[in-house]
Amino acid sequence: MQRMNAATARRIALAAQGFGKRRPANPNRRAVLDVVARTRLLQLDSVSAVVRAHYAPVFSRIGPYDRALLEQAAWSDSPRARRGLVEYWAHEAALIPVADWPLLRWRMAEYRHGRWSGMRKVVERNPTLGKDILDVVTEVGASSAGEIERHLELDKPRPKGTWWNLSDTKMVCEQLFAAGELSIARRAGFTRQYDLTERVVPADVLDREIGEDDAVRELLRRSSRALGIGTETDLRDYYRLNRRQSAPAIADLVDAGELLPVEVTGWDAPAYLHPEASTPRRITGAALLCPFDPLIFFRPRTQRIFDFHYRIEIYTPEPKRVHGYYVFPFLLDGVLVGRVDLRAERGSGRLLAPGAFAEPGYATAETAHALRGALREMADWLELDEVVVGERGDLAPLL
């Protein structure tokens, strides 16, 4: 078994995710899609405290770019620019390359009655609503759940006890999306516009049938390439697989020489190296990482690789928050050296940083200088005029 130290494993992981590369001078659509070709997915999330989660990882890797390039790749399709990305449940809700859609058919089969019991109950009490929704979408094209509801002329009370207060129509639209019968053609704001999958996913992709075992092995190949090196839990979490699926598939990939068993000093579990992963001598550059960046969204891996304890505190009552509401870890030359609580105040044109905190040993002028530059770059990208630093944290006075 190959052995390596933790610093080498960290550089492999960073390089696999696209860090340490020279940024393109003028990022175009190809540069944006190249990021997703490395990460294989961009997690979607509704929080817009700074910028929606799917935009931020691209910025972290290639710098300021036109967000419309990502929107067009995901939510528009024309003969000149075919759809490059599609939404589905990968690592939570995510944008994935269109070509990867068939790899998740087995999950669509599992979700044919909905992703969770509450959704199944809605389907059971509305046995014809799914067909009615499909009929509306077939006739009128891509529509939001509210538009579909109006076409159906429904005026039913929303179910009680659900914090998001979704209507039955919205719930069944989500069930049909999870089952692969509807896809997301576009978004208006952040509202999903559902359409028949056959109108969203190209016919040659839609016609591909891949059995669960083969699909799981291929998903693990993709997660391995995206991670560079990882434990069994790292590899399966990337696409939210379960151990029943991942353990035999990893064994097959090891036998085939497509995963190389590795022992990493200080890691608490055996690791697997992608045979084509690069091992740079050093990683340079600065990047702010949103909470849902693929580099850090699996918190045990973040702790293992960077010795960086990170938890999102959105749902923690404000008096109990340690670092803040929406905190970006700060990557500098291959190390997570700090974190900063951020908020985009668009009405006043300000990027607010109420708190900035250094990891042990990094409360230095050098860290503050690099973070100041990264904050200014983010503000410019978001078209905000001013960066306002608060008083919380040991990096705040240095900033």
Side-chain angles (χ1 to χ4, degrees):
M1 181 181 290
Q2 183 178 345
R3 290 175 172 80
M4 68 174 64
N5 61 42
T8 300
R10 184 171 63 247
R11 293 197 303 274
I12 291 170
L14 285 161
Q17 282 280 309
F19 292 98
K21 294 181 63 181
R22 180 175 298 189
R23 290 177 169 186
N26 296 296
N28 55 17
R29 177 186 170 102
R30 174 45 50 198
V32 170
L33 289 176
D34 281 348
V35 171
V36 190
R38 280 186 172 273
T39 66
R40 303 312 302 182
L41 53 82
L42 296 173
Q43 187 172 338
L44 294 158
D45 190 82
S46 60
V47 177
S48 58
V50 180
V51 65
R52 301 280 187 194
H54 53 288
Y55 297 113
V58 181
F59 169 73
S60 298
R61 287 155 178 79
I62 66 173
Y65 72 101
D66 184 353
R67 295 193 294 281
L69 294 171
L70 181 58
E71 293 164 3
Q72 291 160 7
W75 297 303
S76 69
D77 191 35
S78 70
R80 294 184 61 186
R82 306 306 305 184
R83 188 187 305 275
L85 306 172
V86 68
E87 292 188 39
Y88 193 63
W89 294 101
H91 182 94
E92 300 299 327
L95 292 172
I96 60 174
V98 170
D100 288 0
W101 187 89
L103 295 173
L104 295 160
R105 280 188 184 276
W106 58 270
R107 180 166 287 164
M108 296 170 197
E110 285 187 354
Y111 290 166
R112 62 189 179 277
H113 300 303
R115 293 179 55 240
W116 42 279
S117 60
M119 191 177 286
R120 296 187 190 102
K121 290 176 182 176
V122 173
V123 174
E124 288 169 4
R125 71 170 176 256
N126 297 280
T128 66
L129 183 54
K131 181 182 181 304
D132 294 340
I133 288 170
L134 291 172
D135 287 344
V136 168
V137 172
T138 300
E139 180 180 349
V140 304
S143 307
S144 69
E147 290 166 340
I148 293 168
E149 195 165 32
R150 286 191 289 276
H151 275 285
L152 293 172
E153 297 181 342
L154 293 179
D155 186 20
K156 297 180 180 179
R158 298 176 186 271
K160 296 180 180 179
T162 52
W163 67 271
W164 53 83
N165 201 27
L166 296 178
S167 69
D168 283 7
T169 303
K170 172 66 174 176
M171 296 272 270
V172 176
C173 284
E174 283 297 298
Q175 179 264 321
L176 293 168
F177 168 64
E181 295 187 63
L182 293 178
S183 288
I184 311 306
R186 59 180 179 266
R187 283 184 180 254
F190 201 62
T191 301
R192 284 173 162 167
Q193 301 273 314
Y194 302 92
D195 204 348
L196 301 178
T197 297
E198 64 200 55
R199 294 175 181 165
V200 176
V201 178
D204 61 323
V205 176
L206 195 63
D207 290 343
R208 287 176 57 207
E209 295 285 348
I210 304 174
E212 180 176 344
D213 291 347
D214 289 337
V216 167
R217 278 191 293 271
E218 188 57 41
L219 289 171
L220 287 167
R221 289 187 188 99
R222 279 158 163 67
S223 63
S224 172
R225 187 180 290 276
L227 295 173
I229 186 170
T231 65
E232 183 269 337
T233 54
D234 295 341
L235 294 175
R236 66 176 153 97
D237 177 78
Y238 209 73
Y239 288 98
R240 291 294 167 89
L241 306 172
N242 60 53
R243 196 173 190 283
R244 171 190 60 78
Q245 297 170 303
S246 64
I250 287 174
D252 289 346
L253 294 171
V254 169
D255 288 344
E258 297 183 67
L259 287 179
L260 306 177
V262 180
E263 182 179 300
V264 180
T265 304
W267 283 26
D268 56 1
Y272 301 92
L273 176 69
H274 191 282
E276 296 177 8
S278 64
T279 310
R281 295 180 64 182
R282 61 194 301 255
I283 297 284
T284 59
L288 288 161
L289 306 175
C290 89
F292 304 104
D293 192 291
L295 181 68
I296 59 168
F297 59 28
F298 187 42
R299 311 305 187 207
R301 176 177 170 84
T302 305
Q303 179 82 51
R304 187 186 312 113
I305 291 182
F306 295 102
D307 191 24
F308 188 89
H309 181 79
Y310 180 55
R311 296 293 184 271
I312 193 166
E313 298 182 271
I314 290 174
Y315 305 113
T316 301
E318 186 172 359
K320 296 184 178 181
R321 290 179 191 146
V322 177
H323 297 109
Y325 176 79
Y326 202 64
V327 174
F328 281 59
F330 181 49
L331 179 70
L332 180 62
D333 295 338
V335 180
L336 291 179
V337 298
R339 63 194 89 198
V340 56
D341 185 22
L342 290 178
R343 206 89 73 254
E345 196 176 74
R346 292 171 179 83
S348 64
R350 302 190 302 171
L351 180 63
L352 306 180
F357 308 82
E359 288 297 283
Y362 289 100
T364 65
E366 290 78 11
T367 301
H369 177 76
L371 178 55
R372 178 175 178 166
L375 290 170
R376 183 67 260 169
E377 182 179 58
M378 174 175 276
D380 290 343
W381 176 55
L382 298 176
E383 300 179 298
L384 301 171
D385 300 320
E386 192 177 1
V387 177
V388 180
V389 179
E391 299 179 352
R392 296 177 54 245
D394 49 0
L395 277 178
L398 294 172
L399 285 171

